[in-house]
Amino acid sequence: MAATFSVLGADVAVKGDLSATADLHVDGSIEGDITCAALVQGEKSTVTGAIKAQSARLSGTVHGSIEASELVILKTARIHGDVTYDALTIEQGAQVDGRFAHRVHAGEEPSLTLVS
């Protein structure tokens, strides 16, 4: 049976682009672009590159653009780049240095949730 997710531990450092059909849980550092179905980023994780995922929960540091249908930016996250989303949740305390852009789909209402 194929794995449904992959875990990259805190001691793992990847240099190069990462593309996965499985969901990813990243606690280490990535220097390159990430493309996957779902991404969970740990608090001490660092990604230097673009992120493209169907859903993403970010709690570490990202230096690059982010594109996700469902995006959750947790309070420990530090984002340095532009963010494109369909639905967005940001916890109080998160830091984002970049522009936000909502993808507009015909017949849909924008969704933004601020959590304290």
Side-chain angles (χ1 to χ4, degrees):
M1 181 191 309
T4 57
F5 67 93
S6 296
V7 177
L8 300 176
D11 59 340
V12 175
V14 175
K15 290 187 179 186
D17 295 343
L18 196 62
S19 180
T21 55
D23 300 344
L24 290 176
H25 183 117
V26 177
D27 286 320
S29 65
I30 310 291
E31 290 185 30
D33 298 342
I34 297 176
T35 304
C36 61
L39 174 67
V40 175
Q41 181 194 34
E43 287 183 23
K44 297 188 179 191
S45 173
T46 301
V47 175
T48 304
I51 294 175
K52 186 172 185 178
Q54 191 65 22
S55 69
R57 286 182 66 85
L58 307 176
S59 59
T61 302
V62 177
H63 297 277
S65 63
I66 301 166
E67 183 177 337
S69 293
E70 295 178 25
L71 179 59
V72 177
I73 301 175
L74 299 170
K75 65 183 173 185
T76 57
R78 303 298 176 251
I79 310 297
H80 306 279
D82 295 341
V83 176
T84 304
Y85 63 92
D86 290 346
L88 175 64
T89 301
I90 303 175
E91 284 188 344
Q92 183 178 2
Q95 295 179 4
V96 180
D97 180 17
R99 288 181 276 176
F100 287 91
H102 180 262
R103 290 189 293 205
V104 178
H105 300 285
E108 291 185 2
E109 292 291 321
S111 175
L112 170 64
T113 306
L114 299 175
V115 181
S116 58

